[in-house]
Each structure stands twice: as structure tokens, then as C-alpha cells.
Amino acid sequence: MFGCLVAGRLVQAAPQQVAEDKFVFDLPDYENINHVVVFMLGTIPFPEGMGGSVYFCYPDQSGMAVWQLLGFVTNEKPSAIFKISGLKSGKGSQHPFGAMNLTQTPTVAQIGISVELLENLAQQTPVASAAVSSVDSFTEFTQKMLDNFYNFASSFAVTQAQMTPNPSEAFIPANVVLKW
Amino acid sequence: MFGCLVAGRLVQAAPQQVAEDKFVFDLPDYENINHVVVFMLGTIPFPEGMGGSVYFCYPDQSGMAVWQLLGFVTNEKPSAIFKISGLKSGKGSQHPFGAMNLTQTPTVAQIGISVELLENLAQQTPVASAAVSSVDSFTEFTQKMLDNFYNFASSFAVTQAQMTPNPSEAFIPANVVLKW
């Protein structure tokens, strides 16, 4: 039903089925992985009203499994690219895999797919840094970054009337920041 | 031998074979495509000493096919993610597909894979903006963007001594921009 592809490596199309509705791919040497593609093979669609939440699972320093929600695949959006480099220092999130006895070797991570009701998926929030979906989200990301910057910089804005005299300090007109 | 996946869509595993060593996938509605994954299915490897160059082909305003080299897949690196949004204004590059009579409808682009000697591939330079390889390039990109911003904003920087009196205009101390 699912395939998984680490950028640069061979595709995997045979996940381990660890429960009726749960599938797991092993990611050996995960510290050298940047992007992972998760996709439906196109053979079997999700049952009506269902979709898949996609998790990344890696062992923390003490060997405990940390799960992070990357995003979703559905019949309408049957593939997604995720960026997993940079997630390793993040906090774990709630996940439906329980204490499944997945082999935890220090260099092997997992991609877990849990088949769930679409309405349950809609209530889950993936880790933001995993999204590699579109120019739109990239543009949104940079726009958000710039908005943050403007808010940050504006909080320091002064008018000439408020300035303490210091003729050598350089100032940037606030409208220049806005125009950019 | 090859698969092609547009992020968000179903995987394609049946390219059109347009010559003994040339394979083409259609990309409908390509203006709404951001990322494309090209990968070997893992069934048949390249012959010893051979690999594949991966091209993106789209119709220009007059309907002529423009080919751009995205990168490569080889037995050692059997998959790659490419960003094709942003390529549409780029110039075409040399390509081995000749004047193949591919259907050119305005909304359909192609991914072309040409099987060639590895030593030929090594002499070809993909368009830089197609690479989706690592966090590093993302970080570099945002860093470059911020550097550009600082250079842009600094060019407007004034000291109080240079200011024309206008007590209502807001100014941001330049060191705030740098610190951010």
C-alpha cells in the first residue's frame, strides 16, 4: 500500500505491518538522511474517510524511541516529501504506536504510518520544520520569517523626537524594511 | 526501470520509452508542481559504467520544448529530488533528446531520462536551482536572503546628523537588524 524513499537511496515498497492499521519502514544510517518521500503505491486506496499520519521515530541518547508527526498522506494527496534532518533535537509528540517493540539500534530510525479517520488527522499538528511541500509553504515560511523580523525590528523603532542624541549610530527608516 | 513522483500526486512507474536509452514521463498541470522525485525501481540496474541524466522539458511561450538538466541518477545514487518550480524562466541547456516528437500541450511538461556513460554525465552541469539536497543549501539560501536584506536596508541607513527633520518617521537602529 505504501512506499518510502530516502533521497539518494533505493525505494522501499514493503513496510513491516506492526498492527492492522500501522506500517513501519526502517531508515538505516538515519543521521545521513535529509529528505524522505512517503507515498501510496496506487494499488489500494485508503478506506472512505480514512488517511495516514506519517511519523518519524528515532532513538534518543538513552535509546528510547522519540516519535514526531511529519504530516499526512490521503487519497487526495497520496505523496509527500518530508525533511527529517534537523528534527533530531526536537521533542517527541503524541503518537499512536504505543510501546511497540521496534528494534532500536542507534543508527536506525523509522517511518511509521498510522491509518486513521480523516477527522482525527485534522486535529494533529505536524512539526513545522518537516514540511517540504510546495513553493507556497516555502514562500509562506519566508514571509512569516520576514513578518517576524519586521515585528522584531519595529519593536525597536523610534522617531527622531524620541532619539537620545548619538550622531554616530546608524538608523534604517522603517518603511525600507516594510518595502523589502 | 524508473519511477517518477510529483510531490502530492500518485507515483508513476511506467515511462514512455522514446528510444532504446531514453525514457519520458508526462507531468500534467506542471505549473502547479514544485518538487519531482526521480528514482530507479530497483528491478534493473544501469549497465556497468552507465547512469541516467534527468531533464525537465517544458513548452516555452511559443510552444517550443525547452530542456533543462536537473541532475543524475546512478546505481550508487538511485534517487533524487528536484525542485522544478522556478525553472520556467530559465534558459534551455544542451540535451540528448533531439527534436523528439513529444506532444507539447501548454500545460504538460516532461521528465526525460537519458541513459549515458558515467564519464559523459560527469561533464554535464545541472541547473543549480533544481538541487534539493540538504539542509545546508536551505540554510545557505535563507542566510543569503538575510544578507541581501541587510545590504539592502543598510544602503538606506542614516545617522541622526544626516536626518532631515521629520519627527514622525519611524527608524530602526541598524544594529537591531544585524543582531537579528
Side-chain angles (χ1 to χ4, degrees):
Chain A
M1 186 169 179
F2 302 107
C4 175
L5 188 149
V6 172
R9 302 187 186 174
L10 266 181
V11 65
Q12 303 181 52
Q16 185 189 353
Q17 186 165 4
V18 293
E20 195 193 350
D21 54 357
K22 308 252 178 314
F23 301 84
V24 170
F25 291 98
D26 271 351
L27 303 182
D29 190 24
Y30 79 93
E31 305 239 352
N32 289 315
I33 296 176
N34 291 309
H35 293 91
V36 175
V37 186
V38 175
F39 59 99
M40 301 179 68
L41 297 177
T43 46
I44 308 169
F46 285 109
E48 177 85 17
M50 312 278 289
S53 54
V54 180
Y55 288 84
F56 175 56
C57 170
Y58 65 97
D60 71 8
Q61 291 182 333
S62 57
M64 295 293 290
V66 179
W67 293 83
Q68 292 188 316
L69 179 63
L70 298 179
F72 312 102
V73 286
T74 61
N75 290 339
E76 287 66 43
K77 187 173 165 293
S79 63
I81 302 174
F82 302 110
K83 182 161 154 286
I84 65 161
S85 51
L87 292 187
K88 291 145 206 168
S89 52
K91 265 195 0 193
S93 52
Q94 282 198 307
H95 68 88
F97 287 84
M100 276 178 198
N101 198 12
L102 301 172
T103 323
Q104 287 298 333
T105 46
T107 59
V108 179
Q110 276 87 26
I111 289 288
I113 303 170
S114 172
V115 181
E116 301 178 21
L117 286 170
L118 290 175
E119 59 203 55
N120 288 354
L121 302 187
Q123 292 165 25
Q124 300 169 16
T125 308
V127 287
S129 55
V132 180
S133 48
S134 65
V135 166
D136 295 335
S137 65
F138 183 75
T139 311
E140 273 168 30
F141 175 85
T142 50
Q143 188 56 52
K144 204 168 285 176
M145 198 173 69
L146 291 173
D147 288 349
N148 284 345
F149 167 73
Y150 182 70
N151 292 338
F152 168 79
S154 311
S155 67
F156 291 86
V158 289
T159 62
Q160 290 174 47
Q162 299 163 328
M163 285 175 186
T164 46
N166 177 1
S168 68
E169 189 178 2
F171 286 85
I172 293 165
N175 62 3
V176 168
V177 179
L178 260 187
K179 277 178 197 154
W180 192 78
Chain B
M1 185 172 178
F2 302 108
C4 175
L5 187 148
V6 172
R9 302 187 188 173
L10 265 181
V11 63
Q12 303 181 51
Q16 186 189 351
Q17 186 164 5
V18 295
E20 194 193 351
D21 54 357
K22 308 250 180 315
F23 301 84
V24 170
F25 290 98
D26 272 351
L27 302 181
D29 189 24
Y30 79 92
E31 305 239 353
N32 290 315
I33 295 176
N34 292 307
H35 293 91
V36 176
V37 187
V38 175
F39 59 99
M40 301 179 69
L41 296 178
T43 45
I44 309 169
F46 285 109
E48 177 85 18
M50 312 278 291
S53 55
V54 180
Y55 288 84
F56 175 56
C57 170
Y58 65 96
D60 70 7
Q61 290 182 333
S62 57
M64 296 292 291
V66 179
W67 293 83
Q68 292 188 317
L69 179 63
L70 298 179
F72 312 102
V73 285
T74 62
N75 290 340
E76 287 67 42
K77 187 175 164 293
S79 63
I81 301 174
F82 303 110
K83 182 160 156 289
I84 65 162
S85 53
L87 293 186
K88 292 145 204 171
S89 53
K91 266 193 359 191
S93 53
Q94 282 198 306
H95 68 88
F97 287 84
M100 276 177 197
N101 198 13
L102 302 172
T103 323
Q104 288 297 333
T105 45
T107 58
V108 179
Q110 275 85 26
I111 289 290
I113 303 169
S114 173
V115 180
E116 300 178 22
L117 287 169
L118 289 176
E119 59 203 55
N120 289 354
L121 301 188
Q123 291 163 26
Q124 300 168 16
T125 308
V127 287
S129 55
V132 179
S133 47
S134 65
V135 168
D136 295 335
S137 64
F138 182 77
T139 311
E140 274 168 30
F141 175 86
T142 49
Q143 186 57 51
K144 204 168 285 175
M145 195 174 73
L146 291 174
D147 287 349
N148 284 345
F149 169 73
Y150 181 71
N151 291 339
F152 168 80
S154 310
S155 67
F156 291 87
V158 290
T159 61
Q160 289 176 47
Q162 298 163 326
M163 285 177 187
T164 46
N166 177 359
S168 69
E169 190 178 3
F171 286 85
I172 293 166
N175 61 4
V176 169
V177 179
L178 260 188
K179 277 179 198 154
W180 191 79

